């Protein structure tokens, strides 16, 4: 693989529209992910796949890893760009490229591997939630992770089923599949390790304005943000170590 002067290269596959707030404060969701995952001497690019901007086969070869973001779309839907994304993900799997999926990204990866994604039977999950790791997490993490970590969540769909080749790494009281991996090159996280508390509170306002959620959802989400601190540094380490092949 060609690298510019030995520099590692990563791409964010952006599946959502940037909100004005995130654009202004963080340079869009691309900026949010770069802030969490980028290290010195790396090149980071973005492909806005939800508007039809996909990497070509030649471009795919340039990258060491890919990150799939959250989205307002359903990972179980069949929009043209989602179908095209599934084709791309199968290609990345066959090339053994590192792929990290977050929220919608986690769900679409599960679907591409033969899993089933659907509306969560228990409805929206919005706020800070405790994630419980399976014991096998420590076989892949040199990070000495605790048995549980807090994570910001904002989703109404979930991964219902996964084929046996995919390993579930974490669950919560609300969601059976909070995290999974396939081989050493694909990993999904249902929550939002990249989110700050202010990003979530602004998103709650947007969801409420658009009637996606009810007032009680919003209140519950805001309260959990006030009461609990997400373990952002530990999640950053975990996601970065996976993407850079250090696990």
């Amino acid at each position: 693989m060609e690298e510019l002067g030995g520099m590692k290269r990563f791409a964010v596959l952006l599946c959502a529209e940037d909100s004005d707030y995130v654009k202004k404060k963080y340079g869009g969701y691309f900026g949010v992910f770069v802030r969490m995952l980028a290290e010195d001497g790396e090149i980071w690019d973005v492909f806005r796949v939800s508007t039809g901007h996909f990497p070509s086969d030649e471009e795919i070869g340039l990258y060491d890893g890919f990150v799939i973001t959250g989205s307002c779309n359903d990972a179980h839907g069949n929009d043209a760009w989602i179908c095209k994304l599934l084709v791309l993900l199968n290609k990345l799997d066959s090339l053994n490229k590192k792929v990290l999926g977050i929220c919608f990204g986690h769900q679409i990866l599960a679907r591409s591997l033969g899993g089933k994604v659907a509306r969560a039977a228990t409805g929206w999950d919005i706020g800070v939630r405790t994630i419980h790791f399976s014991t096998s997490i420590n076989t892949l993490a040199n990070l000495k992770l605790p048995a549980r970590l807090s994570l910001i969540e904002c989703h109404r769909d979930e991964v219902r089923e996964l084929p046996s080749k995919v390993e579930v790494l974490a669950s919560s009281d609300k969601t059976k599949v909070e995290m999974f991996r396939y081989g050493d090159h694909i990993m999904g996280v249902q929550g939002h390790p990249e989110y700050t508390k202010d990003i979530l509170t602004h998103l709650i306002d947007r969801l409420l304005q658009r009637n996606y959620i009810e007032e009680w959802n919003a209140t519950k989400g805001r309260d959990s943000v006030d009461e609990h601190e997400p373990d952002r540094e530990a999640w950053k380490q975990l996601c970065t170590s996976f993407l850079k092949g250090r696990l």
Side-chain angles (χ1 to χ4, degrees), residues 24-44:
K24 205 157 77 178
K25 184 162 180 190
Y26 297 98
Y29 288 115
F30 175 60
V32 173
F33 276 99
V34 166
R35 185 177 289 217
M36 176 173 76
L37 298 168
E39 295 172 315
D40 287 348
E42 294 173 353
I43 296 165
W44 280 77

PDB file of all heavy atoms in Angstrom, residues 24-44:
ATOM      1  N   LYS A  24     -20.098  24.543  13.727  1.00  0.00           N
ATOM      2  CA  LYS A  24     -19.498  25.762  14.254  1.00  0.00           C
ATOM      3  C   LYS A  24     -18.451  25.462  15.326  1.00  0.00           C
ATOM      4  O   LYS A  24     -17.362  26.021  15.329  1.00  0.00           O
ATOM      5  CB  LYS A  24     -20.595  26.662  14.838  1.00  0.00           C
ATOM      6  CG  LYS A  24     -20.211  28.139  14.864  1.00  0.00           C
ATOM      7  CD  LYS A  24     -21.439  29.035  14.901  1.00  0.00           C
ATOM      8  CE  LYS A  24     -22.037  29.051  16.306  1.00  0.00           C
ATOM      9  NZ  LYS A  24     -23.208  29.961  16.372  1.00  0.00           N
ATOM     10  N   LYS A  25     -18.787  24.543  16.227  1.00  0.00           N
ATOM     11  CA  LYS A  25     -17.892  24.294  17.369  1.00  0.00           C
ATOM     12  C   LYS A  25     -16.776  23.289  17.078  1.00  0.00           C
ATOM     13  O   LYS A  25     -15.679  23.407  17.598  1.00  0.00           O
ATOM     14  CB  LYS A  25     -18.701  23.842  18.583  1.00  0.00           C
ATOM     15  CG  LYS A  25     -17.821  23.677  19.808  1.00  0.00           C
ATOM     16  CD  LYS A  25     -18.554  23.662  21.118  1.00  0.00           C
ATOM     17  CE  LYS A  25     -17.551  23.488  22.249  1.00  0.00           C
ATOM     18  NZ  LYS A  25     -18.177  23.231  23.535  1.00  0.00           N
ATOM     19  N   TYR A  26     -17.057  22.272  16.244  1.00  0.00           N
ATOM     20  CA  TYR A  26     -16.100  21.174  16.063  1.00  0.00           C
ATOM     21  C   TYR A  26     -15.646  20.963  14.614  1.00  0.00           C
ATOM     22  O   TYR A  26     -14.893  20.032  14.343  1.00  0.00           O
ATOM     23  CB  TYR A  26     -16.705  19.864  16.578  1.00  0.00           C
ATOM     24  CG  TYR A  26     -17.013  19.869  18.051  1.00  0.00           C
ATOM     25  CD1 TYR A  26     -18.310  20.119  18.512  1.00  0.00           C
ATOM     26  CD2 TYR A  26     -16.017  19.620  18.991  1.00  0.00           C
ATOM     27  CE1 TYR A  26     -18.605  20.111  19.876  1.00  0.00           C
ATOM     28  CE2 TYR A  26     -16.303  19.618  20.355  1.00  0.00           C
ATOM     29  CZ  TYR A  26     -17.591  19.869  20.791  1.00  0.00           C
ATOM     30  OH  TYR A  26     -17.872  19.861  22.138  1.00  0.00           O
ATOM     31  N   GLY A  27     -16.145  21.789  13.690  1.00  0.00           N
ATOM     32  CA  GLY A  27     -15.806  21.544  12.290  1.00  0.00           C
ATOM     33  C   GLY A  27     -16.553  20.342  11.746  1.00  0.00           C
ATOM     34  O   GLY A  27     -16.052  19.596  10.904  1.00  0.00           O
ATOM     35  N   GLY A  28     -17.780  20.123  12.234  1.00  0.00           N
ATOM     36  CA  GLY A  28     -18.606  19.002  11.768  1.00  0.00           C
ATOM     37  C   GLY A  28     -18.243  17.702  12.475  1.00  0.00           C
ATOM     38  O   GLY A  28     -17.295  17.642  13.274  1.00  0.00           O
ATOM     39  N   TYR A  29     -18.994  16.636  12.170  1.00  0.00           N
ATOM     40  CA  TYR A  29     -18.732  15.337  12.793  1.00  0.00           C
ATOM     41  C   TYR A  29     -17.370  14.783  12.393  1.00  0.00           C
ATOM     42  O   TYR A  29     -16.735  14.056  13.160  1.00  0.00           O
ATOM     43  CB  TYR A  29     -19.843  14.338  12.471  1.00  0.00           C
ATOM     44  CG  TYR A  29     -21.123  14.649  13.204  1.00  0.00           C
ATOM     45  CD1 TYR A  29     -22.284  15.026  12.524  1.00  0.00           C
ATOM     46  CD2 TYR A  29     -21.175  14.599  14.599  1.00  0.00           C
ATOM     47  CE1 TYR A  29     -23.449  15.329  13.210  1.00  0.00           C
ATOM     48  CE2 TYR A  29     -22.339  14.902  15.289  1.00  0.00           C
ATOM     49  CZ  TYR A  29     -23.467  15.269  14.595  1.00  0.00           C
ATOM     50  OH  TYR A  29     -24.621  15.586  15.274  1.00  0.00           O
ATOM     51  N   PHE A  30     -16.916  15.129  11.209  1.00  0.00           N
ATOM     52  CA  PHE A  30     -15.563  14.725  10.796  1.00  0.00           C
ATOM     53  C   PHE A  30     -14.546  15.260  11.807  1.00  0.00           C
ATOM     54  O   PHE A  30     -13.678  14.527  12.283  1.00  0.00           O
ATOM     55  CB  PHE A  30     -15.261  15.254   9.383  1.00  0.00           C
ATOM     56  CG  PHE A  30     -13.838  14.993   8.931  1.00  0.00           C
ATOM     57  CD1 PHE A  30     -13.346  13.700   8.835  1.00  0.00           C
ATOM     58  CD2 PHE A  30     -12.997  16.040   8.597  1.00  0.00           C
ATOM     59  CE1 PHE A  30     -12.036  13.446   8.415  1.00  0.00           C
ATOM     60  CE2 PHE A  30     -11.686  15.812   8.174  1.00  0.00           C
ATOM     61  CZ  PHE A  30     -11.219  14.507   8.086  1.00  0.00           C
ATOM     62  N   GLY A  31     -14.701  16.526  12.179  1.00  0.00           N
ATOM     63  CA  GLY A  31     -13.818  17.141  13.175  1.00  0.00           C
ATOM     64  C   GLY A  31     -13.901  16.447  14.523  1.00  0.00           C
ATOM     65  O   GLY A  31     -12.890  16.285  15.222  1.00  0.00           O
ATOM     66  N   VAL A  32     -15.094  16.015  14.897  1.00  0.00           N
ATOM     67  CA  VAL A  32     -15.299  15.320  16.179  1.00  0.00           C
ATOM     68  C   VAL A  32     -14.540  13.992  16.180  1.00  0.00           C
ATOM     69  O   VAL A  32     -13.854  13.643  17.152  1.00  0.00           O
ATOM     70  CB  VAL A  32     -16.812  15.077  16.441  1.00  0.00           C
ATOM     71  CG1 VAL A  32     -17.024  14.210  17.681  1.00  0.00           C
ATOM     72  CG2 VAL A  32     -17.556  16.402  16.595  1.00  0.00           C
ATOM     73  N   PHE A  33     -14.624  13.247  15.075  1.00  0.00           N
ATOM     74  CA  PHE A  33     -13.932  11.959  14.996  1.00  0.00           C
ATOM     75  C   PHE A  33     -12.413  12.129  14.917  1.00  0.00           C
ATOM     76  O   PHE A  33     -11.671  11.355  15.541  1.00  0.00           O
ATOM     77  CB  PHE A  33     -14.447  11.139  13.806  1.00  0.00           C
ATOM     78  CG  PHE A  33     -15.684  10.368  14.138  1.00  0.00           C
ATOM     79  CD1 PHE A  33     -16.936  10.847  13.778  1.00  0.00           C
ATOM     80  CD2 PHE A  33     -15.615   9.178  14.844  1.00  0.00           C
ATOM     81  CE1 PHE A  33     -18.087  10.147  14.111  1.00  0.00           C
ATOM     82  CE2 PHE A  33     -16.763   8.469  15.178  1.00  0.00           C
ATOM     83  CZ  PHE A  33     -18.001   8.954  14.812  1.00  0.00           C
ATOM     84  N   VAL A  34     -11.972  13.124  14.181  1.00  0.00           N
ATOM     85  CA  VAL A  34     -10.533  13.384  14.088  1.00  0.00           C
ATOM     86  C   VAL A  34      -9.979  13.727  15.470  1.00  0.00           C
ATOM     87  O   VAL A  34      -8.922  13.238  15.876  1.00  0.00           O
ATOM     88  CB  VAL A  34     -10.249  14.507  13.058  1.00  0.00           C
ATOM     89  CG1 VAL A  34      -8.818  15.027  13.188  1.00  0.00           C
ATOM     90  CG2 VAL A  34     -10.485  13.989  11.640  1.00  0.00           C
ATOM     91  N   ARG A  35     -10.722  14.529  16.203  1.00  0.00           N
ATOM     92  CA  ARG A  35     -10.315  14.909  17.559  1.00  0.00           C
ATOM     93  C   ARG A  35     -10.152  13.671  18.455  1.00  0.00           C
ATOM     94  O   ARG A  35      -9.262  13.617  19.299  1.00  0.00           O
ATOM     95  CB  ARG A  35     -11.380  15.852  18.137  1.00  0.00           C
ATOM     96  CG  ARG A  35     -11.053  16.433  19.493  1.00  0.00           C
ATOM     97  CD  ARG A  35     -12.144  17.388  19.917  1.00  0.00           C
ATOM     98  NE  ARG A  35     -12.104  18.611  19.127  1.00  0.00           N
ATOM     99  CZ  ARG A  35     -12.372  19.814  19.631  1.00  0.00           C
ATOM    100  NH1 ARG A  35     -12.696  19.947  20.890  1.00  0.00           N
ATOM    101  NH2 ARG A  35     -12.323  20.880  18.863  1.00  0.00           N
ATOM    102  N   MET A  36     -11.027  12.682  18.287  1.00  0.00           N
ATOM    103  CA  MET A  36     -10.938  11.485  19.127  1.00  0.00           C
ATOM    104  C   MET A  36      -9.842  10.521  18.667  1.00  0.00           C
ATOM    105  O   MET A  36      -9.148   9.927  19.488  1.00  0.00           O
ATOM    106  CB  MET A  36     -12.287  10.736  19.140  1.00  0.00           C
ATOM    107  CG  MET A  36     -12.207   9.434  19.927  1.00  0.00           C
ATOM    108  SD  MET A  36     -13.755   8.533  20.201  1.00  0.00           S
ATOM    109  CE  MET A  36     -14.070   7.784  18.615  1.00  0.00           C
ATOM    110  N   LEU A  37      -9.685  10.357  17.351  1.00  0.00           N
ATOM    111  CA  LEU A  37      -8.906   9.227  16.845  1.00  0.00           C
ATOM    112  C   LEU A  37      -7.558   9.568  16.212  1.00  0.00           C
ATOM    113  O   LEU A  37      -6.691   8.696  16.117  1.00  0.00           O
ATOM    114  CB  LEU A  37      -9.740   8.464  15.803  1.00  0.00           C
ATOM    115  CG  LEU A  37     -11.043   7.829  16.303  1.00  0.00           C
ATOM    116  CD1 LEU A  37     -11.897   7.382  15.119  1.00  0.00           C
ATOM    117  CD2 LEU A  37     -10.755   6.652  17.223  1.00  0.00           C
ATOM    118  N   ALA A  38      -7.392  10.803  15.759  1.00  0.00           N
ATOM    119  CA  ALA A  38      -6.177  11.125  14.994  1.00  0.00           C
ATOM    120  C   ALA A  38      -4.959  11.273  15.896  1.00  0.00           C
ATOM    121  O   ALA A  38      -5.052  11.762  17.020  1.00  0.00           O
ATOM    122  CB  ALA A  38      -6.393  12.400  14.190  1.00  0.00           C
ATOM    123  N   GLU A  39      -3.819  10.825  15.379  1.00  0.00           N
ATOM    124  CA  GLU A  39      -2.541  10.984  16.069  1.00  0.00           C
ATOM    125  C   GLU A  39      -1.549  11.641  15.114  1.00  0.00           C
ATOM    126  O   GLU A  39      -1.795  11.720  13.907  1.00  0.00           O
ATOM    127  CB  GLU A  39      -2.041   9.607  16.541  1.00  0.00           C
ATOM    128  CG  GLU A  39      -2.965   8.993  17.587  1.00  0.00           C
ATOM    129  CD  GLU A  39      -2.627   7.552  17.944  1.00  0.00           C
ATOM    130  OE1 GLU A  39      -2.380   6.748  17.033  1.00  0.00           O
ATOM    131  OE2 GLU A  39      -2.621   7.239  19.129  1.00  0.00           O
ATOM    132  N   ASP A  40      -0.446  12.099  15.663  1.00  0.00           N
ATOM    133  CA  ASP A  40       0.554  12.806  14.848  1.00  0.00           C
ATOM    134  C   ASP A  40       1.007  11.972  13.663  1.00  0.00           C
ATOM    135  O   ASP A  40       1.152  10.745  13.765  1.00  0.00           O
ATOM    136  CB  ASP A  40       1.783  13.161  15.701  1.00  0.00           C
ATOM    137  CG  ASP A  40       1.477  14.297  16.668  1.00  0.00           C
ATOM    138  OD1 ASP A  40       0.413  14.933  16.509  1.00  0.00           O
ATOM    139  OD2 ASP A  40       2.289  14.539  17.581  1.00  0.00           O
ATOM    140  N   GLY A  41       1.227  12.643  12.542  1.00  0.00           N
ATOM    141  CA  GLY A  41       1.780  11.975  11.370  1.00  0.00           C
ATOM    142  C   GLY A  41       0.783  11.138  10.600  1.00  0.00           C
ATOM    143  O   GLY A  41       1.159  10.211   9.889  1.00  0.00           O
ATOM    144  N   GLU A  42      -0.511  11.448  10.748  1.00  0.00           N
ATOM    145  CA  GLU A  42      -1.544  10.722  10.008  1.00  0.00           C
ATOM    146  C   GLU A  42      -2.295  11.676   9.080  1.00  0.00           C
ATOM    147  O   GLU A  42      -2.391  12.868   9.356  1.00  0.00           O
ATOM    148  CB  GLU A  42      -2.558  10.089  10.975  1.00  0.00           C
ATOM    149  CG  GLU A  42      -1.988   8.999  11.840  1.00  0.00           C
ATOM    150  CD  GLU A  42      -2.961   8.510  12.911  1.00  0.00           C
ATOM    151  OE1 GLU A  42      -4.045   9.105  13.083  1.00  0.00           O
ATOM    152  OE2 GLU A  42      -2.606   7.535  13.574  1.00  0.00           O
ATOM    153  N   ILE A  43      -2.857  11.104   8.021  1.00  0.00           N
ATOM    154  CA  ILE A  43      -3.719  11.880   7.120  1.00  0.00           C
ATOM    155  C   ILE A  43      -5.142  11.368   7.306  1.00  0.00           C
ATOM    156  O   ILE A  43      -5.379  10.151   7.297  1.00  0.00           O
ATOM    157  CB  ILE A  43      -3.281  11.701   5.646  1.00  0.00           C
ATOM    158  CG1 ILE A  43      -1.878  12.276   5.445  1.00  0.00           C
ATOM    159  CG2 ILE A  43      -4.275  12.364   4.693  1.00  0.00           C
ATOM    160  CD1 ILE A  43      -1.238  11.837   4.147  1.00  0.00           C
ATOM    161  N   TRP A  44      -6.084  12.287   7.492  1.00  0.00           N
ATOM    162  CA  TRP A  44      -7.494  11.931   7.650  1.00  0.00           C
ATOM    163  C   TRP A  44      -8.332  12.598   6.574  1.00  0.00           C
ATOM    164  O   TRP A  44      -8.200  13.795   6.331  1.00  0.00           O
ATOM    165  CB  TRP A  44      -7.991  12.347   9.048  1.00  0.00           C
ATOM    166  CG  TRP A  44      -7.577  11.364  10.094  1.00  0.00           C
ATOM    167  CD1 TRP A  44      -6.337  11.230  10.648  1.00  0.00           C
ATOM    168  CD2 TRP A  44      -8.391  10.345  10.684  1.00  0.00           C
ATOM    169  NE1 TRP A  44      -6.330  10.200  11.546  1.00  0.00           N
ATOM    170  CE2 TRP A  44      -7.575   9.638  11.602  1.00  0.00           C
ATOM    171  CE3 TRP A  44      -9.727   9.970  10.535  1.00  0.00           C
ATOM    172  CZ2 TRP A  44      -8.055   8.568  12.357  1.00  0.00           C
ATOM    173  CZ3 TRP A  44     -10.213   8.914  11.296  1.00  0.00           C
ATOM    174  CH2 TRP A  44      -9.377   8.214  12.194  1.00  0.00           C
TER     175      TRP A  44
END
